[in-house]
Amino acid sequence: MAQVQVEGCSGVDAGQTQENPYSNLISVSDNSAQVLQALYEKHRVTRNAQQKAKILSPEFTGWTLDPFLVKLSGPHREPGYTDPRVNLTFWARPPSWIREIVRQLQEQLTKVAPTLWLMPLENLHMTTLEVMTGSTEAQVQRMLDQIGTQAIRTIAEWTSIHRARLVKPLICYDAAALALTFVPAAGEPDTAGHARNLEADEYTYHHLRRDVFAMTRATAVDITPRYTVPSAHLTIARFNNQNGFQKNLTNSAVEVDREAVATLIRTIEELNNWLELETWPAPGKVQKLRGNWTVGHEKTLECRKGRSWYGGGESVYVGAGF
């Protein structure tokens, strides 16, 4: 999320102790979907608690503005500015019913924070693997040439036969951005409340991240993912100004409007309660809003290049989903 460092909050080192940085968590969890889900859940709940304490503390001095987005959009945009960062990634695109949940969340958030920058629904994406970031077009093209067209297609279409299901959407936040997060499924009922076997969820989203990394590395490219923490998230909003969260003092200075900040945090918590009630699976519960998402539904993974930080860029390859 944005420019704030994403700390590992799962209590487990998800780092580089193995050649594949995603394998460590799978080994620690003994390849258990239930344990992996618990680690993803602990990460997001712990991180929200940490960020809430920081944001509501007297030392909080305002939102961490994305300096590139400030120039691209909002009250301080610079006409003609071009984001210099060129990237190469593999994305998971959310299906229509997840986009609808995001639409409703964004609508509610802007009632208390009307100056939030909202991720356009058509730009929503979950970064499964970041191959290059902050590079040049020439560097990205050389990397694409090295990976090769067939390997890119194989990686993107991996979801056609390797089904990783995500469940339990929850908003996570920091001083820079808000994201809709998910955890790997571990035998929860489907959207109609029907029981599923735990074995059906043995292949998790973390396994998918591991395999996409391995297949990309197998083409002899050298990649170091920016973060490997247990997180599956769609960025839904960012801060590119302080408007609405500052108040003027008598000496022409400004200070944080702590009541406005607290109102936003309270709204996020209310929305998270709504998400749990309306979109989380439970036996016999028919979900009007489907919070389950099997990656690859509607579209395969998408190989994306260019200025993709805010959902832009251009597609290298994306196939039809199931």
Side-chain angles (χ1 to χ4, degrees):
M1 292 163 62
Q3 308 302 315
V4 172
Q5 182 179 357
V6 180
E7 308 111 335
C9 303
S10 64
V12 172
D13 180 12
Q16 311 279 341
T17 59
Q18 301 189 33
E19 183 177 347
N20 188 318
Y22 299 101
S23 295
N24 194 48
L25 210 64
I26 293 172
S27 298
V28 168
S29 69
D30 198 24
N31 207 37
S32 164
Q34 291 174 312
V35 176
L36 281 169
Q37 182 183 108
L39 293 173
Y40 270 68
E41 180 68 13
K42 182 177 181 181
H43 171 78
R44 67 181 185 174
V45 170
T46 302
R47 191 162 190 277
N48 265 5
Q50 291 175 347
Q51 294 300 319
K52 178 179 179 180
K54 290 179 182 178
I55 292 169
L56 296 183
S57 75
E59 288 74 35
F60 181 67
T61 58
W63 305 116
T64 303
L65 306 186
D66 181 329
F68 299 98
L69 189 59
V70 167
K71 297 177 182 179
L72 288 167
S73 177
H76 306 294
R77 75 179 285 267
E78 298 179 7
Y81 177 78
T82 299
D83 191 339
R85 301 165 299 172
V86 180
N87 314 306
L88 179 61
T89 61
F90 283 97
W91 284 353
R93 292 283 203 174
S96 56
W97 58 90
I98 299 297
R99 297 196 300 272
E100 172 57 22
I101 291 174
V102 172
R103 185 195 66 78
Q104 294 191 35
L105 293 173
Q106 290 178 335
E107 184 178 82
Q108 296 303 313
L109 288 167
T110 52
K111 289 181 179 179
V112 296
T115 62
L116 270 178
W117 177 85
L118 302 180
M119 179 72 77
L121 297 180
E122 65 273 16
N123 289 6
L124 286 167
H125 61 277
M126 182 178 290
T127 301
T128 304
L129 180 67
E130 194 172 62
V131 182
M132 301 180 76
T133 183
S135 303
T136 66
E137 293 180 1
Q139 289 170 331
V140 165
Q141 189 57 53
R142 284 196 294 271
M143 179 69 80
L144 283 169
D145 293 341
Q146 184 170 349
I147 297 173
T149 302
Q150 184 55 53
I152 289 170
R153 182 167 184 155
T154 297
I155 295 167
E157 294 182 351
W158 196 248
T159 54
S160 298
I161 54 174
H162 298 83
R163 307 286 172 85
R165 191 167 65 114
L166 294 167
V167 296
K168 301 180 180 179
L170 186 85
I171 299 173
C172 283
Y173 60 92
D174 57 24
L178 290 78
L180 187 64
T181 67
F182 298 81
V183 295
E188 289 83 3
D190 62 20
T191 54
H194 300 146
R196 282 171 56 99
N197 294 325
L198 179 60
E199 291 75 20
D201 290 321
E202 281 185 340
Y203 187 85
T204 72
Y205 183 68
H206 204 78
H207 290 85
L208 178 63
R209 295 170 76 189
R210 176 201 64 186
D211 291 351
V212 171
F213 177 91
M215 288 184 285
T216 306
R217 174 65 69 84
T219 64
V221 301
D222 184 22
I223 52 174
T224 304
R226 208 157 39 94
Y227 66 94
T228 58
V229 297
S231 177
H233 65 269
L234 302 163
T235 298
I236 64 172
R238 296 180 185 271
F239 296 98
N240 65 355
N241 66 86
Q242 306 285 355
N243 294 351
F245 294 98
Q246 291 181 330
K247 56 185 179 181
N248 296 321
L249 302 178
T250 54
N251 60 357
S252 300
V254 294
E255 68 174 16
V256 173
D257 186 338
R258 302 197 183 280
E259 184 177 344
V261 171
T263 297
L264 175 58
I265 300 304
R266 185 165 56 250
T267 299
I268 292 171
E269 292 178 340
E270 291 170 354
L271 288 171
N272 279 340
N273 290 336
W274 173 80
L275 282 167
E276 184 170 355
L277 179 66
E278 296 293 335
T279 72
W280 287 27
K285 175 183 176 182
V286 178
Q287 296 172 250
K288 293 181 181 179
L289 287 171
R290 297 158 63 185
N292 291 12
W293 167 20
T294 300
V295 178
H297 199 108
E298 295 187 352
K299 294 181 179 181
T300 65
L301 293 181
E302 179 176 358
C303 181
R304 194 83 171 177
K305 71 173 183 177
R307 293 169 174 82
S308 59
W309 201 271
Y310 311 110
E314 56 185 291
S315 181
V316 177
Y317 179 81
V318 60
F322 48 83

